[in-house]
Amino acid sequence: MLNLMDNSTESSLIIGGLALLAVAIVVIVLFWRMSRQLRHRTSARPAPPPTPVEPAAAITPPPPVPAEITLEFIADTGQPLVFTLDKPALTVGREPDNDICIPASIPNADTVSKHHARLHRDQDDYIVHDLSSTNGLAVNGRQTLENLLQDGDRLRFGSVEAIFHRPLAGGSPAYHSEPGGAA
């Protein structure tokens, strides 16, 4: 009798284990099918229509700027006298051997020394250097011996004023809050 009981307990444990295994398999299969159906539904959804984009407002371009680096003086007639800075180094003065010779038609030209200043290129920049002139060199109202130039800087050779123009890469000017200020 002891044998029968052991066999019946053993068989009920085996049957219970098999039933538990069957339930686990059914649950796994159901989860698998549900996840598959969910993936199928999300991939079958049509993409939402694209959002219409409003056209940008018209942009007014800035006024044209010189394509070259220049130094602009104003003659006594009121007409600009523009010199292109097309060499690595240039001199400014009244003597004809200067690269930029200040003509008598510029008001106060006699305040400019014979060899007043030198402009030289340093990579993409220009630097102005006083050549021990009699009446000095000023940039944006400040006396200086040497100064790095920026677009719109006002240079004064003695009492003669000039404006330095340098377009940025891409052809648009640098805008300053004041002459020689940061962009």
Side-chain angles (χ1 to χ4, degrees):
M1 183 123 149
L2 191 53
N3 250 349
L4 281 179
M5 219 183 217
D6 284 337
N7 281 343
S8 71
T9 307
E10 244 180 70
S11 58
S12 47
L13 282 177
I14 291 174
I15 291 174
L18 289 175
L20 189 58
L21 182 62
V23 169
I25 290 173
V26 168
V27 168
I28 290 171
V29 168
L30 286 175
F31 275 115
W32 176 74
R33 289 187 77 193
M34 285 174 38
S35 68
R36 216 172 139 209
Q37 285 176 350
L38 184 61
R39 270 187 275 155
H40 186 286
R41 283 183 193 160
T42 56
S43 66
R45 283 188 204 157
T51 316
V53 177
E54 293 292 323
I59 298 173
T60 305
V65 296
E68 303 166 320
I69 299 173
T70 59
L71 197 57
E72 177 184 328
F73 295 85
I74 302 297
D76 56 4
T77 62
Q79 294 296 321
L81 182 58
V82 180
F83 293 92
T84 301
L85 306 183
D86 56 358
K87 294 181 180 178
L90 300 109
T91 56
V92 178
R94 284 183 295 132
E95 287 292 303
D97 64 335
N98 286 291
D99 298 296
I100 298 175
C101 181
I102 305 299
S105 65
I106 302 284
N108 302 317
D110 58 336
T111 63
V112 177
S113 294
K114 292 178 183 180
H115 297 96
H116 200 104
R118 179 172 48 105
L119 293 154
H120 72 274
R121 191 176 355 192
D122 182 19
Q123 294 182 4
D124 291 335
D125 296 317
Y126 266 88
I127 297 172
V128 64
H129 179 78
D130 190 350
L131 297 176
S132 302
S133 64
T134 304
N135 294 316
L137 170 69
V139 176
N140 298 321
R142 299 181 120 183
Q143 290 289 26
T144 186
L145 294 176
E146 189 173 82
N147 205 82
L148 176 67
L149 297 177
Q150 296 180 18
D151 182 53
D153 279 350
R154 294 184 174 275
L155 290 80
R156 199 173 65 237
F157 306 96
S159 297
V160 173
E161 189 171 278
I163 301 172
F164 177 77
H165 294 287
R166 177 179 160 237
L168 295 176
S172 61
Y175 293 98
H176 303 291
S177 55
E178 59 183 69

